[in-house]
Amino acid sequence: MYCYQCQETAAGKGCTVKGVCGKTEEVANLQDLLMYLMKGVSHLSVRLRKKGEEMPEVNKFITDGLFMTITNANFDKQRFVKKIEEAFRVCEKLKNRLAELGVTDALCNFKGLDWKDRTPEEMEEKAKSVGILSTQNEDIRSLRELLTYGIKGLAAYAEHAANLGFEETEIYAFMQEGLVATTNDHLSADELTGLVLKCGSMGVKVMALLDKANTSTFGNPEITKVNIGVRNNPAILISGHDLRDLQDLLEQTEGTGVDVYTHSEMLPAHYYPAFKKFSHFAGNYGNAWWKQTEEFETFNGPILFTTNCLVPPRSNATYSDRVYTTGSAGFAGFPHIANRVNGNPKDFSQIIEHAKKCKAPTEIEKGEIIGGFAHAQVFALADKVVDAVKSGAIRKFFVMAGCDGRMKNREYYTQFAEKLPNDTVILTAGCAKYRYNKLPLGDIGGIPRVLDAGQCNDSYSLVVIALKLKEIFQLNDVNDLPIAYNIGWYEQKAVIVLLALLSLGVKNIHLGTTLPAFLSPNVAKILVETFGIAGIGTVDEDLKLFLG
Ligand code: FSO
Ligand code: SF4
């Protein structure tokens, strides 16, 4: 195996024996094979689109397959084998339709489609020859992977939007064209760089689409205090990012005596008006994804994963028989709740019955956290914010969006937040917030010093806010605003957020705790020289740099 798609990759280079995330070599190789076949399917789908036809089934297959290969989403070998089999079925359909339309040369243009052996042994063998290292040139490989990871991020957000009935063909078309481009040996580094930047602008589009899907379905997030203590009822803990899954679960648990709590990236669901009406939506339990191995022990009830980040339980974990997955998430041995059919709700009755037999959660903390500062809510406070900037009460904003991670050096972000002067405000989104959202950082004239816009995709809100401020202050360049970017990344959704920011012209982003291993020295140089991207240093050095 060879995988270097996330920040925690082994020795900052690549996982070669087993993933630091817990992914086995077998699953890693099957993921490579699935990626390879999805490129082949995309090749056919692009040809079909040129003929003016769209196959929604293909768009769904590719979006879902990409999401399944994101870090910490799916560790279940059998699910990948099934997906690989599906790739062949989808492929046959496309080939047949293309033949009907008179396209007969599409079959031989991409070698992935010539491979037909499907026994598990043959799959395993084939997988070994189609991974990341099959691209020899280090810079081309780096650009291909950067593009691929951006596309995986696009897929994740596109899937959440599609689950709410919001889709854009242009986004699917780009995902597939991008995958095909990663197989094209004739593309130069410059052409691939162009596609990486285009991927960023598609990132803005997909986040805008998801924002529209979320806000038109559930209302605009509003300032909300979220309980972090517990009640006395049995309960279900829901993790991941999918708000449609949460809606189905809240509707089905209503009146059953079972409460629902959020974990990690599901916390921002509390900020939406549509979910506030559920009196059994009890609060948020715990912290960022990587703390789950302790926090699930004390939750006592069943846990539902709608997406990443899932951590394989330790061998002595007491909660392994209480975890369920759905959507892109999966883990061998955890029951998987089937997808919705024809838009009907998923059936969560098995989890609800399980919860009824469990003890109420054990309290691990008490109090409240505040959030809900997405674009509409911040616009409502715009006068206050603008006055505070004009009067000097707010000297600078720090965008500290992105991900949290389990490595000790992530303490940097807590210390950075603690040491920021009192006239600064943190704008956050994503699970990165858990490094400082429970610190007593106070407020500036009623404006909290940590403004949480929501999930990682709600980084879009932070961009909308920045563009609004640029307009209010009549600036020509978004980089002239008193905003610094100190972003923590972990997996591929953070890659699309970063590419989206770059496509909007945001410069001098600091990315930690380490720069991606998949950036070759030359590609890293392009990013540094063109966009001023930098890593992080010590907290004191960086504070001096940012505030200097
Ligand atoms: Fe975090 Fe995981 Fe949301 Fe990621 S829970 S790390 S960037 O999946 O997507 O922020
Ligand atoms: Fe390693 Fe990250 Fe890949 Fe897991 S996702 S195998 S930790 S690089």
Side-chain angles (χ1 to χ4, degrees):
M1 71 176 280
Y2 193 85
C3 182
Y4 61 179
Q5 65 176 355
C6 83
Q7 192 273 327
E8 292 187 357
T9 194
K13 287 197 165 75
C15 297
T16 55
V17 183
K18 190 182 179 187
V20 173
C21 59
K23 185 161 77 178
T24 60
E25 173 160 38
E26 218 177 4
V27 168
N29 289 343
L30 288 171
Q31 289 188 354
D32 285 349
L33 183 56
L34 177 61
M35 285 302 302
Y36 180 70
L37 292 171
M38 286 195 294
K39 290 171 188 177
V41 170
S42 296
H43 173 82
L44 294 177
S45 175
V46 167
R47 295 294 297 266
L48 185 68
R49 199 169 286 114
K50 281 197 182 129
K51 286 275 170 189
E53 278 195 25
E54 200 65 32
M55 244 190 221
E57 180 191 350
V58 173
N59 296 338
K60 187 168 173 6
F61 164 73
I62 290 183
T63 309
D64 195 44
L66 286 165
F67 202 168
M68 282 171 66
T69 67
I70 278 185
T71 301
N72 288 344
N74 202 313
F75 297 83
D76 187 349
K77 179 187 157 187
Q78 284 315 320
R79 290 273 305 285
F80 285 103
V81 170
K82 280 203 180 128
K83 206 72 189 166
I84 286 165
E85 285 164 353
E86 193 184 339
F88 283 101
R89 282 197 301 276
V90 169
C91 205
E92 282 307 309
K93 266 199 177 175
L94 279 163
K95 282 200 284 190
N96 292 341
R97 184 61 194 141
L98 279 165
E100 281 168 13
L101 294 170
V103 182
T104 49
D105 67 331
L107 316 184
C108 35
N109 279 6
F110 182 66
K111 58 186 187 295
L113 302 179
D114 301 337
W115 178 67
K116 293 218 180 60
D117 308 327
R118 300 173 204 180
T119 64
E121 297 72 35
E122 283 162 329
M123 279 187 193
E124 217 170 288
E125 215 30 57
K126 179 73 183 170
K128 288 179 192 157
S129 63
V130 297
I132 293 163
L133 298 178
S134 59
T135 301
Q136 302 299 323
N137 180 300
E138 185 189 36
D139 297 327
I140 298 293
R141 185 196 305 146
S142 174
L143 287 165
R144 284 179 175 178
E145 293 308 310
L146 176 56
L147 178 58
T148 303
Y149 304 149
I151 291 172
K152 287 189 184 192
L154 282 181
Y157 295 153
E159 184 155 298
H160 292 306
N163 288 344
L164 294 170
F166 289 73
E167 295 183 84
E168 272 175 24
T169 307
E170 187 190 5
I171 294 168
Y172 294 134
F174 176 79
M175 279 160 46
Q176 292 158 24
E177 280 159 23
L179 287 179
V180 172
T182 66
T183 69
N184 184 344
D185 291 335
H186 303 295
L187 286 183
S188 65
D190 282 351
E191 285 166 316
L192 279 169
T193 307
L195 280 168
V196 166
L197 293 181
K198 186 165 178 203
C199 188
S201 48
M202 285 294 153
V204 178
K205 283 197 174 155
V206 81
M207 283 192 271
L209 180 71
L210 181 52
D211 183 79
K212 191 164 122 201
N214 286 338
T215 55
S216 55
T217 313
F218 306 119
N220 271 303
E222 50 196 30
I223 302 179
T224 307
K225 285 184 178 159
V226 182
N227 172 38
I228 56 172
V230 298
R231 299 179 187 170
N232 291 325
N233 305 317
I236 297 168
L237 188 60
I238 180 168
S239 195
H241 304 70
D242 198 278
L243 297 182
R244 174 74 205 273
D245 285 341
L246 174 68
Q247 181 187 27
D248 288 354
L249 183 68
L250 284 170
E251 283 169 357
Q252 291 170 40
T253 39
E254 195 166 26
T256 61
V258 172
D259 286 338
V260 174
Y261 292 80
T262 52
H263 188 257
S264 190
E265 270 285 72
M266 203 53 94
L267 157 69
H270 292 278
Y271 313 153
Y272 287 92
F275 298 127
K276 291 185 176 175
K277 66 172 194 249
F278 294 101
S279 59
H280 65 296
F281 194 27
N284 187 71
Y285 191 84
N287 295 277
W289 63 271
W290 60 276
K291 290 250 187 148
Q292 64 188 256
T293 44
E294 308 158 33
E295 293 167 354
F296 290 179
E297 294 282 349
T298 52
F299 185 73
N300 302 331
I303 298 121
L304 172 65
F305 271 100
T306 64
T307 67
N308 53 344
C309 278
L310 191 161
V311 180
R314 297 187 189 114
S315 55
N316 60 352
T318 63
Y319 64 82
S320 303
D321 60 347
R322 288 192 268 119
V323 188
Y324 294 77
T325 61
T326 191
S328 61
F331 190 84
F334 293 171
H336 187 76
I337 307 297
N339 279 341
R340 46 185 73 80
V341 182
N342 300 328
N344 290 320
K346 288 184 183 175
D347 179 4
F348 291 127
S349 54
Q350 190 188 353
I351 312 179
I352 298 168
E353 287 314 306
H354 189 157
K356 286 179 185 167
K357 297 184 201 113
C358 296
K359 282 196 302 185
T362 305
E363 192 152 81
I364 51 173
E365 53 194 343
K366 262 188 197 315
E368 285 173 333
I369 40 182
I370 189 166
F373 296 93
H375 52 85
Q377 180 64 80
V378 175
F379 288 179
L381 296 171
D383 290 348
K384 218 173 173 179
V385 173
V386 169
D387 285 350
V389 173
K390 284 188 177 156
S391 72
I394 295 179
R395 174 167 33 147
K396 201 157 194 162
F397 295 95
F398 284 82
V399 171
M400 290 176 72
C403 323
D404 197 6
R406 68 199 121 190
M407 301 304 169
K408 190 154 170 50
N409 58 7
R410 295 253 174 190
E411 284 169 3
Y412 165 94
Y413 293 105
T414 307
Q415 290 160 8
F416 188 87
E418 278 170 336
K419 285 194 171 181
L420 275 173
N422 288 337
D423 54 1
T424 58
V425 169
I426 295 172
L427 302 174
T428 192
C431 59
K433 64 171 77 69
Y434 285 99
R435 287 283 169 181
Y436 38 78
N437 67 345
K438 294 172 186 172
L439 297 176
L441 295 180
D443 64 80
I444 299 175
I447 303 166
R449 287 198 50 235
V450 178
L451 298 181
D452 177 20
Q455 297 180 335
C456 44
N457 47 288
D458 294 308
S459 300
Y460 170 75
S461 253
L462 303 181
V463 169
V464 173
I465 293 165
L467 294 176
K468 188 74 185 169
L469 288 175
K470 177 184 148 215
E471 189 188 308
I472 294 172
F473 289 109
Q474 297 176 339
L475 299 170
N476 292 324
D477 186 345
V478 73
N479 295 298
D480 293 337
L481 284 165
I483 303 181
Y485 294 79
N486 194 5
I487 290 177
W489 82 284
Y490 172 53
E491 47 91 353
Q492 300 78 58
K493 286 183 243 176
V495 174
I496 192 60
V497 171
L498 173 72
L499 295 180
L501 289 173
L502 298 184
S503 82
L504 289 166
V506 175
K507 294 220 159 69
N508 304 322
I509 295 172
H510 288 249
L511 199 60
T513 52
T514 51
L515 289 182
F518 54 80
L519 296 180
S520 67
N522 285 332
V523 173
K525 196 163 163 248
I526 297 175
L527 293 180
V528 170
E529 286 173 359
T530 320
F531 299 105
I533 286 194
I536 57 170
T538 67
V539 170
D540 291 330
E541 278 164 14
D542 289 352
L543 280 169
K544 218 189 258 176
L545 188 76
F546 283 122
L547 294 165

